[in-house]
Amino acid sequence: MAKAPSAAENGSAEKNAAAKWAVRYSNMQELLFFAYRDFTAGPDAILSDYGFGRAHHRVLHFVHRWPGLTVADLLEILGITKQSLARVLKQLIDAGHIEQKTNVRDRRQRELYLTKEGESLAAALSAPQWRLIEEALQAAGTEHYDAIVAFLRRMIDEDGRLAIGALEEHRRRPEGD
Amino acid sequence: MAKAPSAAENGSAEKNAAAKWAVRYSNMQELLFFAYRDFTAGPDAILSDYGFGRAHHRVLHFVHRWPGLTVADLLEILGITKQSLARVLKQLIDAGHIEQKTNVRDRRQRELYLTKEGESLAAALSAPQWRLIEEALQAAGTEHYDAIVAFLRRMIDEDGRLAIGALEEHRRRPEGD
DNA sequence: ATGATATGTCAGCATGACTGACCAGTTCGG
DNA sequence: CCGAACTGGTCAGTCATGCTGACATATCAT
């Protein structure tokens, strides 16, 4: 089914190599499932105290990372519909965690910023995840950081990588004021 | 907030190192989010043709990996309630992808097995994920496989690692017949 | 016989996706 | 200047997948 990286193309040695990689790939599938689940468990617990969910965390995270983000930007990053976003965004604004400012150049656009409360909530949510990442990097060996990033990055599809790239570019060229 | 691995404890050099790791951790958060989302996109597309969802995929995956698994085992692995599992499990059984056999030693227990159709669906679902993992490993350098596994494994909480360990032990000691 | 265990099921709830439709304000091109 | 296109907000309804609580049935263990 899946061909092993650098598998020898000779008879039963090839078969063994293929089987070895099949097991590794299955392991990887499971590891990703469990790791992602436990990675989100920490913030989820905090969020439930606020009546928020994972979706709120994502919005807080990306607004924190790219202050002044527009609603359209956020929709593209998250890959959800505006109706889905509107629900959580409205709750975050009502709760005073996010502020909207009208873009002076194009008054249709709303730039999103975290309030002080929003910043501190975002920080609190990130804390358990940072701790996990730090521990995991230690376990893996910090010298493998680049390889791990390369691995995860390559798992993101073309569009996603482009979306991230576009944002980084947008950030370099503030253009707002 | 988070202390950088092996950060020097001396003044502004320390500050720079901390800032560097803060950015890396934020990147990691995003990479995990995007990677997991795109990782599941492939199977999700296939599943929707069958009227199934991600939950069905998980069940198929784990029954494939540990044939003869009991319902209680599955509940522990997935960390969901039996009512939630029952819904998807029933659909998979009705659709002829999973078979139940009564354990001869303890007739209360139901051992779960994939049918031929179940096996082939499970294989089809895994194919896009294996392809992604293979590409990602190539991009990261296959020599970093162990480090990546160590990283992901460390992100799983104690209970999860124990549950995986328990299953591996269960597999070594078939005990059923 | 009795209590514990493994499984199944009913009924209802919440979250966070989705679709489709529509409105208001703003910008831009001809 | 006007109409088309764009940005954002909203209403109404659906679906998948988690949850709780209650209860039934078969089986096992003491």
Side-chain angles (χ1 to χ4, degrees):
Chain A
M1 192 128 313
K3 193 166 133 262
S6 60
E9 297 286 354
N10 49 353
S12 80
E14 179 198 347
K15 234 177 187 170
N16 285 340
K20 186 183 86 176
W21 282 100
V23 171
R24 291 186 163 195
Y25 293 158
S26 285
N27 276 333
M28 211 54 121
Q29 285 181 283
E30 284 163 22
L31 285 171
L32 281 163
F33 165 61
F34 290 122
Y36 189 73
R37 190 183 59 181
D38 292 343
F39 182 62
T40 53
D44 284 355
I46 300 170
L47 286 158
S48 70
D49 293 342
Y50 292 78
F52 292 155
R54 209 170 287 183
H56 301 82
H57 183 190
R58 283 173 201 150
V59 171
L60 287 170
H61 173 87
F62 286 109
V63 175
H64 167 74
R65 285 272 279 170
W66 292 291
L69 206 71
T70 67
V71 172
D73 290 335
L74 208 40
L75 287 176
E76 193 184 348
I77 297 173
L78 298 175
I80 59 177
T81 59
K82 65 173 174 174
Q83 294 92 327
S84 297
L85 175 57
R87 197 174 9 190
V88 297
L89 190 52
K90 193 173 190 308
Q91 289 174 297
L92 287 168
I93 292 168
D94 289 350
H97 291 102
I98 286 188
E99 270 181 338
Q100 287 181 312
K101 292 181 189 163
T102 301
N103 181 316
V104 282
R105 302 221 207 183
D106 183 340
R107 299 171 45 80
R108 290 173 301 185
Q109 294 186 340
R110 300 294 129 81
E111 296 172 349
L112 304 173
Y113 297 90
L114 293 189
T115 61
K116 248 180 187 161
E117 294 81 31
E119 286 289 353
S120 89
L121 178 53
L125 292 172
S126 284
Q129 298 196 320
W130 286 21
R131 206 172 311 130
L132 261 187
I133 291 172
E134 184 176 339
E135 289 172 6
L137 275 178
Q138 295 281 13
T142 52
E143 69 275 20
H144 296 108
Y145 171 80
D146 289 338
I148 294 167
V149 167
F151 174 80
L152 292 173
R153 197 169 176 81
R154 190 60 183 74
M155 298 246 307
I156 301 171
D157 71 16
E158 202 59 35
D159 290 352
R161 287 191 295 255
L162 288 176
I164 297 174
L167 268 172
E168 283 165 354
E169 196 173 321
H170 173 279
R171 206 189 191 187
R172 252 178 260 115
R173 158 187 55 81
E175 162 188 55
D177 40 341
Chain B
M1 194 128 311
K3 196 167 129 261
S6 61
E9 298 281 356
N10 49 355
S12 81
E14 179 201 343
K15 230 176 188 173
N16 286 340
K20 186 182 88 178
W21 283 99
V23 170
R24 290 187 163 192
Y25 293 158
S26 285
N27 277 334
M28 211 56 120
Q29 285 180 283
E30 283 163 23
L31 284 171
L32 282 163
F33 165 61
F34 289 123
Y36 189 74
R37 189 183 60 181
D38 292 344
F39 183 61
T40 53
D44 283 355
I46 299 170
L47 287 158
S48 71
D49 294 343
Y50 292 77
F52 292 157
R54 211 170 285 183
H56 302 81
H57 183 191
R58 284 175 202 149
V59 172
L60 287 170
H61 173 88
F62 286 108
V63 175
H64 166 76
R65 285 270 279 172
W66 291 292
L69 207 70
T70 68
V71 172
D73 289 336
L74 208 39
L75 286 177
E76 192 184 348
I77 297 173
L78 297 174
I80 60 177
T81 59
K82 64 175 175 174
Q83 295 92 328
S84 297
L85 175 58
R87 197 168 18 197
V88 298
L89 188 53
K90 192 174 191 306
Q91 289 174 298
L92 287 168
I93 292 168
D94 290 350
H97 291 102
I98 287 188
E99 270 181 338
Q100 287 181 310
K101 291 180 189 162
T102 300
N103 181 317
V104 281
R105 303 223 207 176
D106 182 340
R107 296 169 47 76
R108 290 172 302 182
Q109 293 187 340
R110 297 298 126 80
E111 296 172 349
L112 303 173
Y113 297 90
L114 292 189
T115 61
K116 249 183 186 159
E117 294 81 30
E119 285 290 353
S120 90
L121 177 53
L125 292 172
S126 283
Q129 297 196 322
W130 286 20
R131 205 174 310 128
L132 261 187
I133 291 172
E134 184 175 340
E135 288 172 7
L137 274 178
Q138 295 281 11
T142 53
E143 70 275 19
H144 296 108
Y145 171 80
D146 290 337
I148 293 166
V149 167
F151 174 80
L152 292 173
R153 197 169 176 82
R154 192 61 184 69
M155 297 248 305
I156 301 171
D157 71 17
E158 203 58 35
D159 290 351
R161 287 190 294 252
L162 288 177
I164 297 175
L167 269 170
E168 283 165 354
E169 195 173 320
H170 175 277
R171 206 187 191 185
R172 252 179 260 116
R173 156 187 57 82
E175 163 190 53
D177 41 342

